[in-house]
Amino acid sequence: MARDLDLALKHAPLRAPAPLFERPRAPRGVFDSQPGFMRLLGALSVVLLAVLPFLDASRYTMSIATSALIYIMLCMGLNVVVGYAGLLDLGYIAFFAVGAYVSGIFTTVLGWPMWLALIATICACVLAGIIIGAPTLRLRSDYLAIVTLGFGEIIRITANNLEITGGPSGIHGIPSWEFGGWSFDDGFTIGGLAFPGYVVFYYFVALVVVVVGVIGAGRLAKGKLGRAWKAVRDDEDAAEAMGINTYVAKISAYIIGAVWAGMAGQLMATHLSAISPNSFQFLYSALILMAVVLGGMGSTPGVIIGALFVSLAPELLRDFAEWRFLIFGVLLIVVMLFRPAGLWPATAVLPWLKRRMPQPPPFTEAVSAVDPVQEPSVMESTDGLPASDAEEGRRA
């Protein structure tokens, strides 16, 4: 009996059952789906960045806008580390310092062009991410935060005491980007309108931050590596039990975040043409982390909003002089009280999409796992009787 059952199961024609209902196509309209609306919002933001120099091209406005875009780039890198992988990093400003000092040393001491120094900056940040992340990423929660805080201070103190970094005075006279004898400092003229060098640099930063940073971070979050990061963030033990190499996932997030911070450091060094150790204090690490948490960890639009809030709010409150930082702190407390998940959380749904009632899907005809026109069931004989009764009849 058991032998016949095994043979029947081995040769039985089986197929997967049909789904209970047909999956409807995802909406793709601008106001019918969240991805469509976010694409429209991103396109409008890019247009606004392109139009801003035509509205106000003063040195003050362009300088503030460039600093805000550099903050966005820093926050996008830290969002990969904290928002996606769940690694609490309090020394993120260390990679910002590595990028600024490497580009400054290679361009002023060795005389390299800025585009070649960018390659050296990326390699140095990858190496720094491995050196700092390899021994520390086996730690978790508060212990990881304390160790990364220590590494951030080590980088700053080291830059303050080395001769090649200029010591407390830092590095001055960092050149701008040059291509074939043309420099960003020269500016250019379009349609009779003259754009000075700081506007050209603003365009360059806008291109890097908005196009590469935002789209790249979004692609990473939706890919296989991004799903591994989120699994590690939610439950590292469960992710490891499911076959994810959690150590490789964490160190990859750490290295990618380090590269983003290093590139932002090089942009800042080129923008200001001078750097010093005072620009890389722990306060800036706290501000960047505050922007990520304030906007919404793991949310690309939320991180952009948080970076703009942290970078522009003190400037907008400059008229209040001594009270501006107090007002800024009160605003932060109010926002965190009323929006504890952030201004734009990763799970946020557009209000008009929330009010839509889900439509029940149309059910399809159920299909059995075994085709009824095929061979008879295992438990039946060829004459339609149960297998046990047929066996007894043959014995009689």
Side-chain angles (χ1 to χ4, degrees):
M1 180 67 181
R3 181 181 176 182
D4 295 338
L5 182 61
D6 292 340
L7 291 175
L9 289 175
K10 183 178 180 180
H11 298 286
L14 300 176
R15 63 179 180 178
L20 296 179
F21 56 87
E22 295 180 358
R23 184 185 297 273
R25 288 187 177 183
R28 297 184 178 182
V30 173
F31 296 102
D32 295 332
S33 66
Q34 186 143 336
F37 180 79
M38 296 308 300
R39 293 190 188 98
L40 175 63
L41 186 61
L44 293 177
S45 301
V46 173
V47 172
L48 178 61
L49 292 175
V51 172
L52 181 59
F54 294 92
L55 302 177
D56 186 0
S58 63
R59 184 174 293 274
Y60 174 77
T61 302
M62 292 296 100
S63 178
I64 296 301
T66 302
S67 299
L69 290 169
I70 292 175
Y71 260 97
I72 291 175
M73 195 168 186
L74 277 171
C75 293
M76 293 299 296
L78 186 61
N79 187 43
V80 173
V81 180
V82 178
Y84 293 156
L87 306 174
L88 184 56
D89 189 354
L90 295 180
Y92 189 68
I93 201 67
F95 302 113
F96 188 59
V98 169
Y101 272 105
V102 168
S103 62
I105 292 172
F106 274 78
T107 54
T108 57
V109 178
L110 302 179
W112 287 23
M114 188 58 69
W115 64 269
L116 195 57
L118 176 62
I119 301 176
T121 299
I122 294 175
C123 295
C125 290
V126 171
L127 183 62
I130 295 174
I131 293 175
I132 298 176
T136 61
L137 291 181
R138 300 187 184 276
L139 303 175
R140 299 186 185 182
S141 64
D142 300 338
Y143 303 101
L144 177 62
I146 293 171
V147 173
T148 53
L149 171 61
F151 274 114
E153 289 299 300
I154 288 172
I155 295 294
R156 183 183 64 84
I157 294 172
T158 302
N160 195 38
N161 289 276
L162 289 180
E163 183 178 355
I164 194 172
T165 59
S169 300
I171 300 176
H172 302 273
I174 300 175
S176 182
W177 286 77
E178 295 183 0
F179 298 96
W182 177 83
S183 173
F184 277 166
D185 295 333
D186 299 335
F188 58 82
T189 302
I190 298 180
L193 296 176
F195 292 92
Y198 55 86
V199 176
V200 178
F201 186 78
Y202 164 76
Y203 270 47
F204 173 74
V205 175
L207 177 64
V208 173
V209 174
V210 176
V211 178
V212 179
V214 175
I215 295 179
R219 294 295 183 182
L220 282 175
K222 296 178 182 178
K224 180 180 179 180
L225 185 58
R227 293 194 296 269
W229 289 340
K230 294 175 183 179
V232 172
R233 176 196 63 190
D234 294 338
D235 194 326
E236 185 173 346
D237 295 329
E240 190 171 3
M242 294 301 295
I244 298 175
N245 192 331
T246 57
Y247 183 74
V248 172
K250 290 192 294 184
I251 200 169
S252 62
Y254 208 67
I255 291 174
I256 291 175
V259 171
W260 281 118
M263 294 173 62
Q266 185 183 27
L267 295 175
M268 191 272 291
T270 310
H271 172 56
L272 300 179
S273 73
I275 53 175
S276 64
N278 292 331
S279 302
F280 311 104
Q281 297 179 355
F282 167 71
L283 174 62
Y284 296 100
S285 290
L287 281 175
I288 299 169
L289 180 62
M290 184 190 306
V292 174
V293 176
L294 182 67
M297 292 189 298
S299 171
T300 299
V303 169
I304 295 174
I305 294 173
L308 292 176
F309 182 85
V310 170
S311 60
L312 298 181
E315 294 297 329
L316 297 177
L317 299 173
R318 186 174 290 274
D319 294 337
F320 295 94
E322 298 179 356
W323 295 95
R324 61 176 179 150
F325 288 107
L326 176 61
I327 298 174
F328 176 62
V330 171
L331 287 176
L332 287 177
I333 294 174
V334 170
V335 170
M336 295 307 295
L337 286 176
F338 290 96
R339 299 288 294 179
L343 294 173
W344 194 310
T347 57
V349 180
L350 297 174
W352 58 87
L353 295 180
K354 284 183 179 180
R355 293 192 291 266
R356 293 184 179 180
M357 297 297 294
Q359 298 294 330
F363 283 88
T364 59
E365 183 180 357
V367 179
S368 61
V370 181
D371 196 340
V373 301
Q374 298 291 338
E375 299 179 3
S377 173
V378 175
M379 300 305 296
E380 293 185 1
S381 63
T382 56
D383 54 1
L385 296 176
S388 58
D389 295 343
E391 188 70 22
E392 291 178 0
R394 282 193 293 271
R395 290 175 184 174

